Amino acid sequence: MREIKHWLDGQAVSGTSGRQLPVWDPATGEQQAYVVAATAAETDAAVASALAAYPAWRAASLSRRAEVMFRFRELVDANRKEIAALVSAEHGKTVADAGGELARGLENIEFATGAPHLLKGGYSEQASTGVDVYSIRQPLGVVAGITPFNFPAMVPMWMFCNALVCGNTFVLKPSEKDPSASLLLADLLRQAGLPDGCFNVVQGDREAVERLIAHPDVQALSFVGSTPIARAVYEAGTRAGKRVQALGGAKNHMVVLPDADVDAAADAAVSAGYGSAGERCMAVSVVVAVGAVADPLVAAISERIGRIAVGPATDPAAEMGPLITREHRDRVAGYLADPGTAEVVVDGRDAPVSQGPGFFLGASLVDKVSPGSPLYTDEIFGPVLSVVRAESYDEAVKLVNDNEYGNGTAIFTRDGGAARQFQYDVICGMVGVNVPVPVPVAYYSFGGWKSSLFGDLHMYGPEGIQFYTRSKVVTSRWPDPATSEVDLGFPKVR
C-alpha cells in the first residue's frame, strides 16, 4: 500500500508514528493509500525547519521572492494535468472540475507575483521640522495553514503564495483525506527555487493541528473548514497569542425574483448546487423562490437533474463524481430519508450509481423546505438542493439575513434596481448578481461574515497580504549635534 509522506527540508520523508490514516478512492470505495499521522515531535520538526529557514528567506529581496512565484506559476501550469489527476483520484471530483480548481489557484500565484508593489509603504517628508516618518510592512515569521478536503490544491495556494512572497515560511497541514497534491506542490516550489525548509508539509489529523496551534514559534494560522472547528481553532489560536483567520461553514442562498429568466436561473441553480457534488463552501444549497416563479423554477431544475451524468472521474462523460467518504455519503443521504414536511422532488438515492460501488449519491431536489428544518439549517455539503418559497423580496432578504451563516449569496433578476438594493440589504460577505457562485477574483479577497468567518481579515488578495505582514512605522531625524538639547515636553510636530 502506498504511503503518502510528509515534506521536510525539501524532500519527502516517511512518518514514524505508526498511526495510519486511510486514503480512499471515492469512486470504488477501496483504500488506495495511507498517511502516517504526524506526532507532536514531527510537527515540531517541521516548525523548527521553517524557523531555521526564515532569516535567510526574510532577507531575500522582493524581486527574488517574486521570481520564485513566477517560476512556481509556470511549473504549476505545466503540470496541471498531473495535479488535477491526483485531486480527482483522491477527492473524486471530475478531472474538468479539478482543472477549474487549478485555474483559480493559478490566479492566486499570479497575484502573489505582484506583491512587491503591494508591500510598498508610505513616506512623509518633514512631518516635523527635520523629521521624516515612513511605514513598512514586514513578515511575521513561521505561519501555518490547515486546509480542507474539498479543494486540496487551490485552498493551500490561497494561503502559502501570499505568505511566502511576503517573506514568511510556511507549514501546511492538508486534509488527510486527499493529501497527495500538497506534496506535488511542495516539490514544484522546490523546483522553482524556494529554499529548503521554507515550505514543509505535515500529514495527519487533530494531533498535528493542536500542536501547530500551541507551538510558540507559529505566529499565525489560516484555516478553512466547518464552523465548529473554525471557531475552536480561532479561540485556541488567539488564546495562544497568534493571529488567526478561520473560515467556517456556509448556507448559501440563491434568491430568484419573479421577473428572472427561469431557464437561466435553473441552469445556474443546477450548476452551483451540484458542481463538485455540492462539496463546496460556495455551493448554492438553498434556492429562495419568490412568488409565482416557484413552480416553473422547480420544474425546470428537476428536468435538468435528469440530464446530469454522474460517474467516476475516469469516465470522460461524467459531470459529477462521488462524495469523499462513505460516512459522509450516508450522512448526506440521511437528510433525504427524513425530510419532514418538505417534498422530495428528486431523490438521489434512487439513482443507479448510488447503489455502488463507491460513495456516489445522485443529485437531489427538495421543495417546500421549512426554515426550521435541518435541510435548511444544516450545512449538508452534498448534492442536495433545497427550495424555500417566499412571498416577497423582503421575506427572501430576511431569510438570508437571519441565517447563521454569511458566506455567499446571489440574486437572479432582470431588475437592476432590485439587484442594487439586494447587495445593499444582505448581511453577507460575497454577493452575486446573476452569478450563482460569487467567488472573488484573486485581486479581491475571499471570506464571509457571521459564523462563516472568525477573524478580521479575509483570505487571499489584498487582505491576505495584510494578514501575513505587520506594519511598522519609523520616525527618523538626522540632526546637527550642535542643536541637540534636553526637552522633556511632548514631541512637537509643528
Side-chain angles (χ1 to χ4, degrees):
M1 184 73 67
R2 176 172 60 95
E3 178 190 352
I4 300 170
K5 300 181 178 183
H6 309 302
W7 185 270
L8 182 67
D9 288 326
Q11 61 182 336
V13 297
S14 293
T16 61
S17 72
R19 191 160 61 88
Q20 296 184 1
L21 306 174
V23 177
W24 302 99
D25 179 347
T28 66
E30 298 177 354
Q31 184 176 346
Q32 58 176 305
Y34 66 89
V35 296
V36 179
T39 62
E42 288 173 311
T43 306
D44 287 350
V47 175
S49 169
L51 185 64
Y54 173 65
W57 182 241
R58 179 196 172 185
S61 69
L62 291 175
S63 296
R64 166 69 178 140
R65 291 185 227 148
E67 179 185 31
V68 170
M69 284 295 114
F70 271 110
R71 291 178 177 173
F72 179 58
R73 190 264 176 213
E74 294 308 303
L75 287 165
V76 171
D77 188 42
N79 289 273
R80 279 195 202 210
K81 290 184 178 180
E82 184 179 356
I83 301 170
L86 278 178
V87 170
S88 292
E90 293 180 357
H91 176 277
K93 66 177 67 177
T94 66
V95 174
D97 196 14
E101 172 180 348
L102 263 294
R104 295 308 296 264
L106 279 163
E107 290 182 13
N108 292 105
I109 311 174
E110 291 162 0
F111 177 83
T113 63
H117 169 72
L118 298 169
L119 290 171
K120 291 187 301 186
Y123 194 102
S124 296
E125 184 182 46
Q126 203 71 355
S128 184
T129 304
V131 175
D132 302 328
V133 180
Y134 59 94
S135 64
I136 55 179
R137 300 203 70 87
Q138 295 184 330
L140 306 177
V142 179
V143 298
I146 303 160
T147 57
F149 72 82
N150 58 328
F151 290 104
M154 182 184 71
V155 171
M157 286 190 277
W158 283 3
M159 301 175 184
F160 70 71
C161 294
N162 280 347
L164 290 171
V165 82
C166 287
N168 303 281
T169 53
F170 198 93
V171 178
L172 173 65
K173 206 302 284 184
S175 171
E176 67 278 13
K177 295 179 174 67
D178 46 9
S180 290
S182 64
L183 296 183
L184 180 49
L185 293 175
D187 190 51
L188 295 180
L189 282 168
R190 179 192 62 79
Q191 293 178 44
L194 186 70
D196 293 348
C198 289
F199 182 81
N200 297 313
V201 179
V202 288
Q203 309 290 1
D205 53 9
R206 182 172 180 171
E207 183 174 351
V209 170
E210 289 179 345
R211 184 55 190 153
L212 288 172
I213 293 172
H215 201 294
D217 291 328
V218 175
Q219 303 301 316
L221 290 164
S222 295
F223 172 87
V224 177
S226 68
T227 285
I229 300 176
R231 182 182 285 111
V233 168
Y234 179 77
E235 291 174 351
T238 53
R239 192 163 52 243
K242 304 184 192 311
R243 180 179 290 187
V244 183
Q245 54 179 187
L247 275 61
K251 197 71 180 181
N252 303 317
H253 295 62
M254 175 177 150
V255 175
V256 183
L257 297 187
D259 71 318
D261 183 290
V262 171
D263 287 332
D267 288 342
V270 170
S271 301
Y274 305 119
S276 199
E279 292 176 324
R280 295 173 176 166
C281 66
M282 287 296 286
V284 166
S285 53
V286 177
V287 170
V288 182
V290 179
V293 78
D295 285 343
L297 181 61
V298 169
I301 293 172
S302 176
E303 187 271 332
R304 283 160 172 77
I305 289 175
R307 300 201 301 263
I308 297 174
V310 183
T314 53
D315 180 357
E319 297 171 292
M320 189 180 93
L323 298 174
I324 188 70
T325 63
R326 187 177 306 280
E327 292 78 12
H328 183 54
R329 184 262 180 209
D330 292 347
R331 186 188 74 83
V332 174
Y335 287 92
L336 300 168
D338 186 16
T341 59
E343 176 187 338
V344 179
V345 179
V346 180
D347 192 333
R349 297 173 300 169
D350 296 336
V353 73
S354 298
Q355 311 311 312
F359 312 141
F360 290 93
L361 180 66
S364 303
L365 178 64
V366 187
D367 189 15
K368 301 174 183 175
V369 173
S370 164
S373 164
L375 280 160
Y376 180 78
T377 59
D378 295 358
E379 184 183 27
I380 298 174
F381 222 63
V384 177
L385 185 61
S386 298
V387 177
V388 177
R389 298 186 177 219
E391 292 300 318
S392 66
Y393 167 88
D394 289 339
E395 183 183 343
V397 170
K398 189 175 188 302
L399 281 168
V400 177
N401 290 349
D402 287 350
N403 195 266
E404 174 188 2
Y405 302 107
N407 209 45
T409 189
I411 186 167
F412 275 70
T413 179
R414 297 174 181 175
D415 186 334
R420 187 181 186 281
Q421 188 64 39
F422 182 78
Q423 61 84 26
Y424 178 84
D425 289 338
V426 290
I427 303 172
C428 192
M430 294 170 283
V431 180
V433 175
N434 298 317
V435 174
V437 184
V439 176
V441 291
Y443 41 89
Y444 284 83
S445 296
F446 179 101
W449 293 0
K450 298 187 283 189
S451 292
S452 294
L453 173 71
F454 300 89
D456 60 347
L457 287 172
H458 293 143
M459 203 161 285
Y460 72 70
E463 292 186 52
I465 297 291
Q466 293 179 54
F467 180 79
Y468 290 118
T469 58
R470 52 191 166 192
S471 177
K472 179 181 287 184
V473 179
V474 181
T475 304
S476 173
R477 181 175 63 178
W478 299 96
D480 181 346
T483 66
S484 180
E485 63 180 5
V486 174
D487 184 352
L488 301 187
F490 200 81
K492 300 179 180 65
V493 296
R494 289 182 176 85

